[in-house]
Structure formats: structure tokens, C-alpha cells
Amino acid sequence: MTSPIVDVTDLSHVYMQGTPLAHQALDRVSIQVERGECIAIIGHTGSGKSTLIQHLNGLMRPQSGKVIVNGLDVSDPKVDVRLLRRQVGLVFQNPEDQLFEKLVGDDIAYGPFKMGLPIAEVKERVEWAMELVGLSFDEMKDRPTFALSGGQKRKVALAGVLALRPHVLVLDEPTAGLDPRSRNELLQRIRRLNQEEGLTVIFVSHNMEEVARLAQRVYVMANGQIACEGTPRHIFGNSSLLQEHHIGTPEAVDILYQLLEQGYAVDTGSFLPEEAAAEILNLIKR
Amino acid sequence: MTADHPIIRVENVSFSYKVNQDQQIPVLQNVSLDVYPGEYLAIIGHNGSGKSTLSKHLNGILTPKTGDVYVNQINTRDRERIYEVRSQVGMVFQHPDNQIVATIVEDDVAFGLENIGIAAHEMRERIDASLEAVGMSAFRHRPPHHLSGGQKQRIAIAGILAMRPQCIVLDEATSMLDSYGRQDILAVIRKLHREGMTIVTVTHHMSEVAEADRVVVMEAGQIVLQGTPREVFAHQQRLRELHLDVPDASRIAALVHQEWEPFSPNLIVNEEVVEEVNRHVIKQAEASGT
């Protein structure tokens, strides 16, 4: 049996500990992610999602509990943080705010360059990463970053992380603010990275269509705890769970729940538009 | 609607960002658009199509390279009257954190009023009314950084309402919010619109677009398609070419229609799909004589 690539056990975190404003952001959280899995973390604003993922590349160290990523113990003060951050690529919410170089190509090259790679390999990685996120290397590498649209900046920021060739990719709201095509393309690219390159993906999202399409397994967080865990079909098929934890539903599921309320026998775990259409056809074609 | 004067008149506007001495990236090309009083207008387009740049022209944050924008007949190039323009057309941006300036909610709402020298008693009234309108009265003495994204956006809207504008422009104001925060904002917008506020919203959420009176589709800095949401969403193929999408309700209706022709393909909101299912099931029951 292989050990999980990400193994979080009983992780707790209190912000502003010892003050009247102390706030328990994480409360004995445990998650296990196997190599090559694609995992979604969902939950209401303030449920602890972002605090959790910041532990995965050592931006935050465990106050209590254990975080082991690819064999590296994040709670060990002597852990090689540079190695850890190379293995875990963390893409923040609004990563476009973090672009700092004048030109697109330079910004993406910054990480690999700092790793001390030979210049030919840096260039090759930049090309590879730009292609992956859907930016044409020849056309875009010399564009100034300030003149990009929000979605283009997002792609540049993602490419900058991918160029480090991480084993685990952690994304905080990867598609918020992207247009539908860019969103679909990015999701397909993430899925390809996951399935073809074996990259382990962990993403935080409030877009339930995205969770439905991408995740193999979902963790639901509430009040700093893992409220439940399961496949998207299991999670979206459980309306009391969705309501209790203020989780939105994919539009397709919303339609099916409305039908269910009116007394139709439909499977509310059918979260893709194609499946919902099939459920509806079942009802009317008899 | 045509009898009214437009609140905002965009006339042949072109705009470009200067990259360096000899390179310009054109963002808007000869865009003309009128926004009428009481209208709910949605602007959609893929990232980089120019929709945010257009929305920033609507209250003079950007001024056109060529062409003109008028807000109630005031040219936005007239810097002396820019405060008049801004108090008539208010803007809510994408990131909640970037538009909150004060450390207490009510101070934040008061910020614009202080700048234009409103008397203290009137300021009180306006703050009360604006916080009430967005359902945030209970939070008036709280520090804003402890609020959720949706609550922060509601504070931002309250700050704009306090200026008593005729029109609110929302530039992807819901895109960073979770689905509950988004529903909150949409409920506030719906209510303001019902009470007569002119709304211009820039969004990627097609289910939001379905609520608008009129949709404008941007591509490469030009308006390429416009009409009611139903008219626009009927062009599924064209929208896909423009990197856009239709609401899931439309997609599902179209899929059902492919297999079962009598099912209307032209639906845009979830409730319509449910009604259409009902209609068919009843018809089937009648046909089979039960």
C-alpha cells in the first residue's frame, strides 16, 4: 500500500490566539489525498478552506496536528521549505495580483530561473507552461503584463506555478472571474494535467458546476471542520447536507430538485446538463 | 423607452492602451451604446473583449481616445463636472477588499458623502436608508474586514446608494463571491431595479444575464450582438464562437429538444424548464386519456 501524497491529521489552527479576537479557523482537520487524485474542497466563506491549503506548502505551519506532503513533514521546523514549495504549487485567489515582472515571459520564467536551471531549460519550461494554460508563446511572451485582461493575467500566474513542475497543484478558486470558454479550457487543462501527467490536484471552489465536472472526491468544510467527504454524486444528491452547510447546487441539480419537489421521480445526483436532460426525457417520453 | 433621454450615451468610442512608443493595443473600437432610465442592461464578452474597459467609461474613470460619453448630457471629459457624473453613475468593482476605505461600516458608507460636503443630519438619513436598502443595518458599527465577501459588496453598494445615483454599474461584482453571497447581491440588485434604479452589469454568469432586460455582447472591442436575453441565448453556436455560453437551463432545454422536438429549446431560467416539463407531462396524461 502506498502512502497518500498529502496526509493531514488532526490539524488545528487558531488565529490571534490568546486575544479576545481568537478565532478557531481549523479544528482537528484530517484529509488524505492519494497520488494522482483530483480533490475539491468546498464550504461557506470563513469555513477554513484557505487556511487549510496554506498549510500544504508550508506558508503556515501546524499549531497542532500533522501535515505530511510527499514525505516532507511540514511541522518539522527544519523541513526544506524550498523543496516543499517546488513540489507543491499553490495558486492563490486572484493570482494576477502577484505578477511583478514587466513582460509575460519574464514573469513565468522567474521561478525556474531562481531554481538555477540552465537557460535553455527555463525557456523550454516557459514554453511548455504557456502552452498548457493556452497562451501562445510567440505571441504573448513579450507582452507587457499590465496590458493583459484579467483572464490572461490569471493564465500567466498559473503558468508561473506550473513552470516549477510541482507534484501537487493547489488552486484557490481557479476560475473565478474567467469567461465561460476560458473557464472550460482551464478546467480541461487541469483535468489533462491530472489524468495524463499524473499531477495531484487539490482545488478550493464555490463554483459547483466546476466541482461537479472536475473533482473525483469532495471535502465539505464547515466551522473549521471536515463536515463530510464523498463523490460529487454523493454530495449533490443529498439536499439536507447541501442546505445545512450553505452549499449552492449546480444549476442542473437545482432544476432536478424543483422537479422532485413537485413529485417527479428524478435522480438528483445527476449533476451534468446531459444527465439532467436524460432525466427530463425519461419523464416526458412515455 | 425610446421617448426617454438616455442616462448614458456612448458615441463612437474608441480606446487603446499604450504599450510603448510605437505600439498600442486597441480595446474599444467605435462603440456606441445608449443606456435608458430604469433599464437593466447586461454586458457580456470573453476576457479581453473590452467589456470592463467599456464599463469604466460609463462614469469617466476612463475617457475615450476618440468619441464621447455623456452622462445626463454631461461629457465625461469635462473634469470640472466629474463629481456630478460620478454621483449619478456609481460603480461596484470585482474585489470587495479594494473598495472599502474605512474601519467601521457606517464610516465607509459616509465616505463619499463627506467628500461632497453633505450636512451631518442628511448624511445620517442617507446612511440609514442605504444600509437598510442592502440589508446591512445590523452591521453598521462593525469593522468591515470581518464581513464576508458578499457583505462587503453590499457595503460597497450602500456607499454608492448614499450618493443617490440614477445608475449603478457592476463590473463583475459577483465573480469573487460564493453562491450565497452572489444570491444576496442579486436580490439587492433586483430590488433596486424594481424601485427604478438603472442597472448595468458586467458578468460571466449567464444565469445572471437571464434576468436583464437587454444584453450587449462584446468581442474585440465592438458590440457584436444585442437583444433580450432570450434572443441572445437563442444563438448558442454564435455565443460558443465568442467564448461564451448559455445558462445551463438553456443547454438542458436544447438537449431535451434534440431528442423530443415539442419541448421548447428557447428557455433561459430554471423555473421555465420545470414548467415546460409540467406542460408536457400533463399533455401526455391527457393524450393517454387518464
Short mmCIF file of all heavy atoms in Angstrom, two decimals, chain B residues 226-256:
data_model
loop_
_atom_site.label_atom_id
_atom_site.label_comp_id
_atom_site.label_asym_id
_atom_site.label_seq_id
_atom_site.Cartn_x
_atom_site.Cartn_y
_atom_site.Cartn_z
N GLN B 226 -26.82 42.10 -29.81
CA GLN B 226 -27.60 42.55 -28.66
C GLN B 226 -29.06 42.22 -28.81
O GLN B 226 -29.54 41.95 -29.89
CB GLN B 226 -27.37 44.04 -28.37
CG GLN B 226 -27.73 44.99 -29.47
CD GLN B 226 -27.54 46.43 -28.98
OE1 GLN B 226 -27.97 46.78 -27.89
NE2 GLN B 226 -26.88 47.26 -29.79
N GLY B 227 -29.75 42.21 -27.70
CA GLY B 227 -31.16 41.88 -27.70
C GLY B 227 -31.60 41.48 -26.31
O GLY B 227 -30.85 41.64 -25.35
N THR B 228 -32.81 40.92 -26.20
CA THR B 228 -33.25 40.41 -24.91
C THR B 228 -32.44 39.14 -24.63
O THR B 228 -31.90 38.54 -25.56
CB THR B 228 -34.74 40.04 -24.93
OG1 THR B 228 -34.90 38.97 -25.86
CG2 THR B 228 -35.61 41.22 -25.34
N PRO B 229 -32.36 38.73 -23.35
CA PRO B 229 -31.61 37.50 -23.05
C PRO B 229 -32.10 36.33 -23.90
O PRO B 229 -31.31 35.54 -24.40
CB PRO B 229 -31.90 37.27 -21.57
CG PRO B 229 -32.20 38.62 -21.02
CD PRO B 229 -32.86 39.39 -22.12
N ARG B 230 -33.43 36.23 -24.08
CA ARG B 230 -33.95 35.10 -24.84
C ARG B 230 -33.46 35.14 -26.29
O ARG B 230 -33.07 34.12 -26.85
CB ARG B 230 -35.48 35.08 -24.79
CG ARG B 230 -36.07 33.70 -25.04
CD ARG B 230 -37.57 33.69 -24.89
NE ARG B 230 -38.01 34.09 -23.57
CZ ARG B 230 -38.01 33.29 -22.50
NH1 ARG B 230 -37.58 32.05 -22.61
NH2 ARG B 230 -38.40 33.72 -21.32
N GLU B 231 -33.47 36.33 -26.87
CA GLU B 231 -32.97 36.46 -28.25
C GLU B 231 -31.50 36.10 -28.33
O GLU B 231 -31.06 35.36 -29.22
CB GLU B 231 -33.16 37.91 -28.75
CG GLU B 231 -34.61 38.25 -29.08
CD GLU B 231 -34.85 39.76 -29.15
OE1 GLU B 231 -33.90 40.55 -28.97
OE2 GLU B 231 -36.01 40.14 -29.35
N VAL B 232 -30.72 36.61 -27.37
CA VAL B 232 -29.27 36.38 -27.41
C VAL B 232 -28.94 34.91 -27.16
O VAL B 232 -28.13 34.31 -27.87
CB VAL B 232 -28.55 37.31 -26.41
CG1 VAL B 232 -27.10 36.89 -26.23
CG2 VAL B 232 -28.63 38.74 -26.87
N PHE B 233 -29.59 34.31 -26.16
CA PHE B 233 -29.27 32.92 -25.83
C PHE B 233 -29.77 31.93 -26.88
O PHE B 233 -29.40 30.76 -26.85
CB PHE B 233 -29.82 32.54 -24.45
CG PHE B 233 -29.08 33.18 -23.32
CD1 PHE B 233 -29.74 33.70 -22.23
CD2 PHE B 233 -27.69 33.27 -23.36
CE1 PHE B 233 -29.04 34.30 -21.19
CE2 PHE B 233 -26.99 33.87 -22.34
CZ PHE B 233 -27.67 34.39 -21.25
N ALA B 234 -30.60 32.39 -27.81
CA ALA B 234 -31.01 31.52 -28.91
C ALA B 234 -29.82 31.24 -29.84
O ALA B 234 -29.83 30.28 -30.59
CB ALA B 234 -32.17 32.14 -29.67
N HIS B 235 -28.79 32.11 -29.77
CA HIS B 235 -27.62 31.92 -30.65
C HIS B 235 -26.55 31.09 -29.95
O HIS B 235 -25.43 31.57 -29.73
CB HIS B 235 -27.02 33.28 -31.02
CG HIS B 235 -27.95 34.20 -31.72
ND1 HIS B 235 -28.13 34.17 -33.08
CD2 HIS B 235 -28.79 35.16 -31.27
CE1 HIS B 235 -29.01 35.08 -33.43
NE2 HIS B 235 -29.44 35.70 -32.35
N GLN B 236 -26.88 29.87 -29.57
CA GLN B 236 -25.92 29.05 -28.81
C GLN B 236 -24.58 28.90 -29.53
O GLN B 236 -23.53 29.04 -28.94
CB GLN B 236 -26.50 27.66 -28.53
CG GLN B 236 -27.59 27.67 -27.48
CD GLN B 236 -27.74 26.31 -26.80
OE1 GLN B 236 -26.87 25.47 -26.82
NE2 GLN B 236 -28.89 26.12 -26.15
N GLN B 237 -24.68 28.61 -30.85
CA GLN B 237 -23.47 28.36 -31.62
C GLN B 237 -22.59 29.61 -31.68
O GLN B 237 -21.40 29.57 -31.42
CB GLN B 237 -23.86 27.90 -33.03
CG GLN B 237 -22.71 27.41 -33.86
CD GLN B 237 -21.89 26.34 -33.14
OE1 GLN B 237 -22.43 25.48 -32.44
NE2 GLN B 237 -20.58 26.41 -33.29
N ARG B 238 -23.24 30.74 -32.00
CA ARG B 238 -22.52 32.01 -32.12
C ARG B 238 -21.85 32.38 -30.78
O ARG B 238 -20.71 32.82 -30.75
CB ARG B 238 -23.52 33.10 -32.54
CG ARG B 238 -22.95 34.50 -32.63
CD ARG B 238 -22.37 34.77 -34.02
NE ARG B 238 -21.88 36.13 -34.13
CZ ARG B 238 -20.59 36.46 -34.08
NH1 ARG B 238 -19.68 35.52 -33.92
NH2 ARG B 238 -20.21 37.71 -34.21
N LEU B 239 -22.56 32.18 -29.69
CA LEU B 239 -22.00 32.51 -28.38
C LEU B 239 -20.79 31.64 -28.09
O LEU B 239 -19.80 32.10 -27.54
CB LEU B 239 -23.07 32.33 -27.29
CG LEU B 239 -24.17 33.38 -27.27
CD1 LEU B 239 -25.26 33.00 -26.28
CD2 LEU B 239 -23.61 34.75 -26.93
N ARG B 240 -20.88 30.38 -28.47
CA ARG B 240 -19.75 29.49 -28.23
C ARG B 240 -18.53 29.98 -29.01
O ARG B 240 -17.42 29.97 -28.50
CB ARG B 240 -20.11 28.05 -28.62
CG ARG B 240 -19.44 27.04 -27.74
CD ARG B 240 -20.19 25.73 -27.72
NE ARG B 240 -21.40 25.80 -26.94
CZ ARG B 240 -22.53 25.13 -27.23
NH1 ARG B 240 -22.58 24.34 -28.29
NH2 ARG B 240 -23.58 25.23 -26.46
N GLU B 241 -18.76 30.44 -30.25
CA GLU B 241 -17.65 31.00 -31.02
C GLU B 241 -17.05 32.23 -30.34
O GLU B 241 -15.87 32.50 -30.47
CB GLU B 241 -18.13 31.42 -32.42
CG GLU B 241 -18.40 30.25 -33.36
CD GLU B 241 -19.29 30.66 -34.53
OE1 GLU B 241 -19.42 31.87 -34.79
OE2 GLU B 241 -19.86 29.75 -35.16
N LEU B 242 -17.89 32.95 -29.61
CA LEU B 242 -17.41 34.15 -28.91
C LEU B 242 -16.88 33.82 -27.52
O LEU B 242 -16.73 34.69 -26.68
CB LEU B 242 -18.57 35.16 -28.78
CG LEU B 242 -19.11 35.73 -30.09
CD1 LEU B 242 -20.37 36.52 -29.85
CD2 LEU B 242 -18.05 36.60 -30.74
N HIS B 243 -16.62 32.54 -27.26
CA HIS B 243 -16.08 32.05 -25.98
C HIS B 243 -17.10 32.21 -24.85
O HIS B 243 -16.73 32.27 -23.70
CB HIS B 243 -14.81 32.80 -25.56
CG HIS B 243 -13.68 32.60 -26.52
ND1 HIS B 243 -12.38 32.80 -26.15
CD2 HIS B 243 -13.67 32.21 -27.80
CE1 HIS B 243 -11.60 32.55 -27.20
NE2 HIS B 243 -12.37 32.20 -28.19
N LEU B 244 -18.37 32.31 -25.21
CA LEU B 244 -19.37 32.48 -24.16
C LEU B 244 -20.21 31.22 -24.06
O LEU B 244 -19.92 30.21 -24.68
CB LEU B 244 -20.24 33.70 -24.45
CG LEU B 244 -19.44 34.99 -24.44
CD1 LEU B 244 -20.24 36.13 -24.99
CD2 LEU B 244 -18.99 35.30 -23.02
N ASP B 245 -21.24 31.31 -23.30
CA ASP B 245 -22.01 30.13 -23.00
C ASP B 245 -23.46 30.54 -22.87
O ASP B 245 -23.80 31.71 -22.96
CB ASP B 245 -21.51 29.54 -21.67
CG ASP B 245 -21.61 28.03 -21.66
OD1 ASP B 245 -22.38 27.49 -22.49
OD2 ASP B 245 -20.94 27.40 -20.84
N VAL B 246 -24.32 29.59 -22.63
CA VAL B 246 -25.71 29.91 -22.32
C VAL B 246 -25.95 29.36 -20.91
O VAL B 246 -25.17 28.56 -20.42
CB VAL B 246 -26.67 29.24 -23.33
CG1 VAL B 246 -26.45 29.82 -24.72
CG2 VAL B 246 -26.51 27.75 -23.35
N PRO B 247 -27.03 29.80 -20.23
CA PRO B 247 -27.29 29.22 -18.91
C PRO B 247 -27.52 27.72 -19.05
O PRO B 247 -27.95 27.26 -20.11
CB PRO B 247 -28.59 29.91 -18.48
CG PRO B 247 -28.72 31.12 -19.33
CD PRO B 247 -28.03 30.81 -20.61
N ASP B 248 -27.24 26.96 -17.98
CA ASP B 248 -27.47 25.52 -18.03
C ASP B 248 -28.91 25.20 -18.39
O ASP B 248 -29.18 24.21 -19.08
CB ASP B 248 -27.10 24.87 -16.69
CG ASP B 248 -25.63 24.50 -16.62
OD1 ASP B 248 -24.94 24.72 -17.64
OD2 ASP B 248 -25.18 24.00 -15.59
N ALA B 249 -29.84 26.04 -17.93
CA ALA B 249 -31.25 25.82 -18.26
C ALA B 249 -31.44 25.77 -19.78
O ALA B 249 -32.14 24.90 -20.30
CB ALA B 249 -32.12 26.92 -17.64
N SER B 250 -30.80 26.70 -20.50
CA SER B 250 -30.91 26.72 -21.97
C SER B 250 -30.28 25.48 -22.58
O SER B 250 -30.80 24.89 -23.51
CB SER B 250 -30.19 27.94 -22.55
OG SER B 250 -30.68 29.11 -21.99
N ARG B 251 -29.13 25.10 -22.03
CA ARG B 251 -28.43 23.93 -22.57
C ARG B 251 -29.28 22.68 -22.38
O ARG B 251 -29.44 21.87 -23.30
CB ARG B 251 -27.06 23.79 -21.88
CG ARG B 251 -26.36 22.52 -22.25
CD ARG B 251 -24.91 22.66 -22.66
NE ARG B 251 -24.23 23.81 -22.12
CZ ARG B 251 -23.34 23.76 -21.15
NH1 ARG B 251 -23.04 22.61 -20.58
NH2 ARG B 251 -22.74 24.84 -20.73
N ILE B 252 -29.84 22.54 -21.19
CA ILE B 252 -30.65 21.36 -20.91
C ILE B 252 -31.88 21.35 -21.82
O ILE B 252 -32.21 20.32 -22.42
CB ILE B 252 -31.07 21.34 -19.42
CG1 ILE B 252 -29.83 21.07 -18.56
CG2 ILE B 252 -32.14 20.29 -19.15
CD1 ILE B 252 -30.05 21.27 -17.07
N ALA B 253 -32.53 22.53 -21.96
CA ALA B 253 -33.72 22.60 -22.82
C ALA B 253 -33.36 22.21 -24.25
O ALA B 253 -34.10 21.47 -24.91
CB ALA B 253 -34.31 24.01 -22.78
N ALA B 254 -32.21 22.69 -24.74
CA ALA B 254 -31.81 22.36 -26.10
C ALA B 254 -31.54 20.87 -26.25
O ALA B 254 -31.90 20.26 -27.26
CB ALA B 254 -30.57 23.18 -26.48
N LEU B 255 -30.91 20.28 -25.24
CA LEU B 255 -30.62 18.84 -25.30
C LEU B 255 -31.91 18.02 -25.33
O LEU B 255 -32.02 17.04 -26.08
CB LEU B 255 -29.77 18.42 -24.09
CG LEU B 255 -28.30 18.83 -24.12
CD1 LEU B 255 -27.66 18.65 -22.75
CD2 LEU B 255 -27.54 18.02 -25.17
N VAL B 256 -32.87 18.42 -24.50
CA VAL B 256 -34.14 17.69 -24.48
C VAL B 256 -34.84 17.86 -25.83
O VAL B 256 -35.36 16.91 -26.41
CB VAL B 256 -35.04 18.18 -23.32
CG1 VAL B 256 -36.40 17.48 -23.38
CG2 VAL B 256 -34.37 17.93 -21.99
#
